[in-house]
Amino acid sequence: MPAARTPAKTRGAPGAAAPPLTLDTELTFLKGAGPQAASALRALDLRSVGDLLFHLPLRYEDRRAVTRLCDLREGMEALIRARVEVADVRFAPRRVLLVALDDDSGSGLLLRFFHFNESQRAGFVAGRIVQAFGSIRAGRNGLEMIHPEYQLVAHAGELSVEDRLTAIYPLTAGMTQPRLRRMIGQALDVAARETGLRAALPGLGDPDTLTALEAIHRPGSGADAEALRALRHPAQLRLIREELLAHQLCMRLLRRQTRERPAPPLDGTADAARALQAHLPFSFTGAQQRVLNEIGEDLGRERPMLRLVQGDVGSGKTVVAACAMLAAARAGHQAALMAPTELLAEQHQASLRRWFEPLGLNVVLLTGKLRKRERDERLAQVADGGARIVVGTHAMFQSGVVFARLALAVVDEQHRFGVQQRLQLRDKGPAGTSPHQLVMSATPIPRTLAQTLYADLDVSVIDELPPGRTPIATVALAQEKRGDVLQRLGEACREGRQAYWVCTLIEESDEIEAQAAAVTAEKLRESLPELNIGLVHGRLKPDQKELAMRDFKDGRTQLLVATTVIEVGVDVPNASIMIIDNAERLGLSQLHQLRGRVGRGARASQCVLLYQGPLSQAARARLDVMRTTTDGFRIAQADLELRGPGELLGRRQTGLVGLKLADPVRDAPLVPALQPLADEYLDRHPHEAQRLILRWVGDVERYARV
Ligand code: ADP
Ligand code: MG
């Protein structure tokens, strides 16, 4: 069957007759998909027609009824229909198109566009009718919508409302929802002509994959909207089980295949820990010591270690990894540490250098922004084995980087890396061997759950924080208290404290998120003119991001406005205030990660969870958990209990291991039944097993040998 993720065929010669479309066809052959669209979709890892099928909606919008302007409330999503009163381009300070609307209810609404072209602007002629869908925010002059999807007509009679729910997809710049929706529609039509996605899969029952995909992308007018929103529609459940099964299969194979290879036995972990300890200003906690013992035993064997170390933010995972790296280096091998961002890689290099320099050991940093000469020099050191300790981003494990004797690969903040990256890493040791693997994660998942989720890894837990940490005081405040918060924030910053202001949005694109953060930063600059306020979000170029972080770290900015990009690993010890705007939108694990950015220095820290009422019961419960505990594992447990099936907390909330639809926490109860099924597939249905892995995880080459 044509797997969804096989590499797309290349485009035929110009003028050649178009071949009939299949799921394998490159998606540029679809109507309305030019090279520009294709490159936008490549950013989402979508290349073939079949890939589109598995690009699943993030959520659904209800555009089945028009809301009158007088009934709009901040925070709601609505379809509106109104007259253009006036349209105006302002510079405030960026170019922005503002369109004032009104309707017969006597109320108004402002549309705000940051990106627009001349014909778009010219279209907003006074008196024309706009139908727009978007979320409602409170602006300076009343309610507004930022960058809504809209239609513009002369008479309301030309407009219609949807008769079914509208699927909303993860997007990227250069692509729009309607366009992507049309392309996915075409892909479904192609799939309907093939049989592959209809084939029965043992143990998974009805509906078949294609029927399920249809129901999810194009819910019928009679579809159960509540079930779809709650991700509990039978079609969704079917695909969730299928995806979880694919991942179980993949992890089992990965472990099997990795463990077939030898690894160099390293028996110096305890000695390395002692040597390191002699120069450290602190001693290891009991938990660190225990985990070190577990790692030491693994490393002493001739089979590759496959171990996950879980430990809450600040529990001291890095130094534990450092002991193992030191053991490898002292035995004449190489050890590498991979971080999810350049900033974190640099942070790690600084720590390792501090620890290893007294021992006469050099630490080599490999990042993308090195000049070519520097980079070549360092690559040569890595290739001839001169560099014993190497730190870098995941680029380090891509082809072109050759290690002479890699014996240990450490991966930090594991949830940013999928199975694919772990595979690349497996192949970085000398031919025929596999390096030991140590994966570190701060995503606190209850131990039993971790064992099911990471079926290929043994799990160690650092369940104790180093002594002497000042606790973080957390309060939840309604948006009405925003003025007070701003005032106290201003005072604190004037006293030399630093703060994060995190903007949370559950949006389908980085771009909209970035815009919203920019707007917030602007407003904060108006309210707190005496402060230097920085801004960091996912749409900045790496060096701009870096600069914003560095300004904050070095104290040139006192307040850093950020999107949730800030959540992983960043360490600015002087920052002692965390304000999370619209905290009700985030899940517990994300709130916990964000809060973990403060409480790292000697000063007592505060976390303010600003929320927009009225709170749902679940949101209230989450904020209560955050107020009453800082223990990551208790929070994870509560998360598991509180996360009703009805909660869709945004793309970044899920995706621990790059899942498309399943959420390992929410869907954990489904996993146990799938484990024996996975064994059965590997023993009796290898062909189907392979098909599922290709469909959901990809990477044809390596998985072809089930
Ligand atoms: P995380 O587990 O979040 O990656 P880190 O490894 O960054 O945590 O450690 C957080 C801080 O705690 C670092 O500054 C580290 O040097 C320090 N640290 C680690 N272990 C101990 C310990 N046993 N006692 C005191 N401080 C420690
Ligand atoms: Mg860390």
Side-chain angles (χ1 to χ4, degrees):
M1 90 119 214
R5 312 264 316 212
T6 39
K9 298 202 175 81
T10 45
R11 202 172 233 265
L21 294 183
T22 72
L23 293 179
D24 283 340
T25 312
E26 190 182 330
L27 49 75
T28 44
F29 283 97
L30 292 173
K31 273 197 282 297
Q36 190 211 341
S39 88
L41 292 172
R42 248 196 317 279
L44 294 167
D45 213 14
L46 303 174
R47 288 156 210 277
S48 70
V49 173
D51 287 346
L52 284 172
L53 293 178
F54 290 89
H55 190 62
L56 298 169
L58 192 61
R59 59 195 172 85
Y60 295 89
E61 284 173 355
D62 195 343
R63 306 180 181 188
R64 294 176 295 186
V66 172
T67 306
R68 294 186 310 166
L69 298 190
C70 65
D71 294 329
L72 295 177
R73 297 288 173 268
E74 187 182 357
M76 74 193 267
E77 274 194 334
L79 181 73
I80 59 103
R81 201 176 273 184
R83 263 185 314 272
V84 175
E85 204 178 359
V86 57
D88 197 8
V89 175
R90 297 263 179 86
F91 294 84
R94 314 167 43 195
R95 211 166 78 103
V96 53
L97 170 61
L98 299 173
V99 183
L101 306 177
D102 63 6
D103 73 358
D104 295 336
S105 74
S107 298
L109 179 71
L110 195 66
L111 306 185
R112 191 183 280 272
F113 298 90
F114 295 100
H115 300 282
F116 55 92
N117 54 35
E118 181 48 30
S119 72
Q120 237 176 324
R121 189 202 60 77
F124 287 105
V125 176
R128 295 188 83 181
I129 307 295
V130 183
Q131 178 163 296
F133 185 91
S135 51
I136 306 296
R137 296 167 214 281
R140 238 167 288 165
N141 305 309
L143 297 180
E144 54 184 56
M145 269 186 190
I146 297 179
H147 268 274
E149 250 186 71
Y150 71 93
Q151 260 178 291
L152 204 49
V153 294
H155 306 285
E158 301 166 48
L159 292 165
S160 59
V161 297
E162 301 286 333
D163 59 356
R164 44 176 85 189
L165 292 178
T166 307
I168 302 299
Y169 296 94
L171 265 198
T172 180
M175 184 45 63
T176 62
Q177 292 290 348
R179 239 175 128 190
L180 184 55
R181 224 173 278 134
R182 280 195 299 273
M183 290 173 65
I184 290 174
Q186 292 178 60
L188 284 167
D189 295 340
V190 172
R193 296 198 297 267
E194 300 192 8
T195 53
L197 289 167
R198 290 197 198 281
L201 287 163
L204 288 179
D206 285 335
D208 64 60
T209 312
L210 183 58
T211 309
L213 286 170
E214 279 276 358
I216 288 171
H217 287 296
R218 294 195 283 218
S221 51
D224 182 347
E226 275 321 298
L228 274 173
R229 287 226 181 83
L231 280 173
R232 278 297 170 267
H233 189 282
Q236 290 163 319
L237 283 175
R238 157 60 205 254
L239 289 192
I240 286 172
R241 291 177 66 231
E242 189 176 317
E243 182 174 34
L244 287 172
L245 176 61
H247 275 266
Q248 287 292 324
L249 289 168
C250 182
M251 288 188 289
R252 268 151 211 260
L253 274 178
L254 180 61
R255 183 175 179 94
R256 245 187 224 185
Q257 293 178 358
T258 305
R259 300 275 286 188
E260 274 167 13
R261 304 186 185 186
L266 306 169
D267 48 18
T269 310
D271 285 344
R274 267 190 295 278
L276 203 56
Q277 176 74 81
H279 299 281
L280 287 177
F282 53 79
S283 33
F284 296 122
T285 61
Q288 284 173 318
Q289 195 63 60
R290 176 169 41 75
V291 171
L292 272 170
N293 292 341
E294 290 166 357
I295 291 172
E297 274 183 34
D298 282 358
L299 290 179
R301 302 208 178 96
E302 288 173 12
R303 291 287 149 204
M305 166 168 78
L306 290 170
R307 186 165 289 277
L308 174 72
V309 171
Q310 279 202 295
D312 208 346
V313 247
S315 62
K317 295 183 288 292
T318 320
V319 74
V320 168
C323 292
M325 295 177 83
L326 182 58
R330 287 177 138 201
H333 297 278
Q334 291 173 299
L337 169 57
M338 163 161 76
T341 65
E342 304 232 323
L343 194 74
L344 283 180
E346 285 176 22
Q347 217 168 270
H348 280 317
Q349 188 219 13
S351 307
L352 292 180
R353 187 181 265 169
R354 205 167 56 239
W355 296 331
F356 290 159
E357 232 155 42
L359 303 168
L361 199 56
N362 196 18
V363 178
V364 171
L365 180 68
L366 271 186
T367 60
K369 60 174 195 203
L370 291 175
R371 273 186 305 252
K372 182 167 171 2
R373 241 190 65 204
E374 255 175 330
R375 185 173 161 81
D376 288 347
E377 251 171 50
R378 295 188 192 180
L379 285 177
Q381 291 177 335
V382 174
D384 70 16
R388 294 282 173 80
I389 304 283
V390 188
V391 179
T393 53
H394 70 278
M396 182 167 74
F397 287 118
Q398 281 160 3
S399 55
V401 183
V402 178
F403 287 82
R405 291 183 295 282
L406 184 67
L408 171 66
V410 181
V411 181
D412 190 22
E413 305 295 355
Q414 187 265 345
H415 59 294
R416 300 282 150 137
F417 298 98
V419 172
Q420 309 263 5
Q421 283 76 22
R422 299 249 326 281
L423 271 170
Q424 293 176 340
L425 179 160
R426 181 190 64 182
D427 292 337
K428 283 294 174 186
T433 71
S434 168
H436 295 288
Q437 297 181 22
L438 184 61
V439 176
M440 301 194 288
S441 170
T443 310
I445 301 171
R447 190 187 185 104
T448 48
L449 179 56
Q451 280 160 346
T452 44
L453 289 181
Y454 305 106
D456 61 323
L457 297 171
D458 301 305
V459 181
S460 291
V461 182
I462 304 182
D463 50 6
E464 182 186 350
L465 288 184
R469 293 277 157 88
T470 49
I472 305 167
T474 303
V475 291
L477 296 174
Q479 288 288 1
E480 288 74 45
K481 297 277 169 61
R482 204 178 173 93
D484 298 348
V485 172
L486 286 178
Q487 194 193 335
R488 271 182 281 158
L489 179 64
E491 286 163 15
C493 288
R494 280 192 292 275
E495 285 166 14
R497 297 177 65 181
Q498 285 179 286
Y500 296 98
W501 185 292
V502 178
C503 304
T504 59
L505 259 185
I506 303 174
E507 289 292 350
E508 45 283 355
S509 95
D510 285 353
E511 193 167 342
I512 296 176
E513 210 168 66
Q515 280 159 7
V519 170
T520 303
E522 215 36 62
K523 287 185 181 167
L524 287 170
R525 282 181 188 129
E526 273 171 32
S527 317
L528 300 165
E530 72 284 14
L531 298 188
N532 289 321
I533 299 181
L535 172 65
V536 61
H537 56 68
R539 296 287 292 176
L540 291 180
K541 297 211 177 68
D543 51 337
Q544 294 173 305
K545 225 185 278 182
E546 189 86 35
L547 191 66
M549 285 310 305
R550 211 161 285 288
D551 281 345
F552 188 58
K553 201 162 180 154
D554 298 345
R556 280 186 293 277
T557 49
Q558 291 98 51
L559 180 62
L560 184 64
V561 177
T563 56
T564 50
V565 294
I566 208 77
E567 100 196 58
V568 168
V570 173
D571 194 26
V572 181
N574 189 52
S576 61
I577 301 172
M578 166 66 62
I579 293 163
I580 304 179
D581 208 351
N582 293 312
E584 78 283 355
R585 291 176 177 162
L586 295 185
L588 274 174
S589 77
Q590 210 170 7
L591 287 170
H592 177 66
Q593 288 295 320
L594 285 170
R595 182 170 59 181
R597 299 303 113 222
V598 296
R600 306 183 147 241
R603 192 163 357 209
S605 295
Q606 274 102 40
C607 173
V608 179
L609 306 171
L610 268 179
Y611 65 83
Q612 175 66 51
L615 288 175
S616 70
Q617 213 177 353
R620 181 175 301 280
R622 284 198 298 272
L623 297 184
D624 281 344
V625 171
M626 289 299 291
R627 281 195 303 107
T628 49
T629 183
T630 53
D631 177 334
F633 286 91
R634 275 180 59 194
I635 290 174
Q637 191 58 45
D639 192 22
L640 206 55
E641 289 156 12
L642 285 176
R643 251 213 259 185
E647 297 221 58
L648 237 183
L649 293 165
R651 163 165 56 122
R652 296 199 177 90
Q653 189 66 29
T654 63
L656 269 174
V657 281
L659 296 167
K660 295 179 202 297
L661 189 58
D663 174 329
V665 177
R666 182 195 63 217
D667 300 321
L670 300 176
V671 173
L674 294 172
Q675 288 176 320
L677 190 59
D679 287 329
E680 190 188 317
Y681 267 69
L682 289 182
D683 293 340
R684 299 190 14 223
H685 313 292
H687 183 67
E688 281 78 6
Q690 180 181 336
R691 179 190 287 178
L692 277 181
I693 291 172
L694 290 176
R695 186 180 288 170
W696 290 96
V697 190
D699 211 346
V700 188
E701 302 294 305
R702 295 168 198 269
Y703 287 113
R705 20 184 192 110
V706 173

